[in-house]
Amino acid sequence: MDDYKGAYLARKKDVSALPKHHTIAIFHLGGIAVECHLKSLLFRYHRISKWNDNSRRTKDSMYDQAIANPSHSLLTALRRMPDFYKRASLDKQLLKHLQKIIHPLGSTDIDYIGLRYIPQTTEPQEDWQKSFDYVCGWLEKNEKII
């Protein structure tokens, strides 16, 4: 089984260790960090040990349904945890900050995965860092309810 929680912690550490002028790498790895954290939460939430196992979370709308890997879609990962998603939807700031992680350049044409093909950006890192810290903090604080 993949160690999504370990990967999250390692990529989060990588983000803070990279020199500030490596903006594209920071945006890319930050998105991957959030992706890994959400995937680790999906496993815990549904009490599964591998993708396509059926959810064992009783009293959940996805109970006994196969839980597929959401790939790089952070919103899909969040939506596949209905109770957790309801809580997330109540925090409009979270959804706004999550959009910044998904599309760090502001344009919806390029997501955090597609950034690997962009040579450079002038997008300020400070706003992105604020969003990254908010999303990671929110997930860490609220994962306790899972």
Side-chain angles (χ1 to χ4, degrees):
M1 180 174 88
D2 295 318
D3 180 7
Y4 291 114
K5 183 69 174 207
Y8 160 68
L9 294 170
R11 296 303 74 77
K12 187 177 175 190
K13 188 176 178 182
D14 292 343
V15 165
S16 61
L18 280 168
K20 299 297 181 203
H21 64 277
H22 289 280
T23 308
I24 293 292
I26 289 169
F27 292 170
H28 180 68
L29 288 176
I32 290 170
V34 171
E35 174 186 328
C36 288
H37 199 178
L38 285 168
K39 286 178 177 180
S40 77
L41 295 175
L42 262 170
F43 272 62
R44 278 186 41 208
Y45 182 92
H46 289 290
R47 300 175 184 111
I48 59 174
S49 57
K50 66 182 189 308
W51 296 119
N52 298 316
D53 277 355
N54 287 353
S55 173
R56 291 184 194 81
R57 187 179 181 97
T58 56
K59 299 180 183 174
D60 188 84
S61 62
M62 294 190 74
Y63 175 71
D64 207 30
Q65 294 179 39
I67 306 302
N69 186 333
S71 187
H72 303 299
S73 177
L74 305 185
L75 285 174
T76 297
L78 194 56
R79 286 184 183 121
R80 287 192 181 153
M81 299 178 277
D83 293 339
F84 199 62
Y85 180 67
K86 281 181 201 169
R87 186 179 193 101
S89 295
L90 295 174
D91 186 339
K92 299 303 179 200
Q93 290 300 308
L94 173 70
L95 299 178
K96 181 187 104 184
H97 288 299
L98 188 59
Q99 282 302 321
K100 185 71 173 171
I101 301 303
I102 296 168
H103 300 287
L105 303 183
S107 166
T108 57
D109 294 341
I110 302 169
D111 65 9
Y112 70 97
I113 294 298
L115 282 178
R116 65 187 186 264
Y117 303 116
I118 305 294
Q120 62 188 9
T121 184
T122 57
E123 187 71 23
Q125 185 184 337
E126 294 78 22
D127 289 344
W128 179 90
Q129 187 67 51
K130 179 180 174 185
S131 291
F132 181 71
D133 292 342
Y134 191 96
V135 169
C136 290
W138 191 95
L139 291 173
E140 289 171 12
K141 176 182 161 194
N142 287 280
E143 73 181 304
K144 296 170 182 78
I145 69 159
I146 293 179

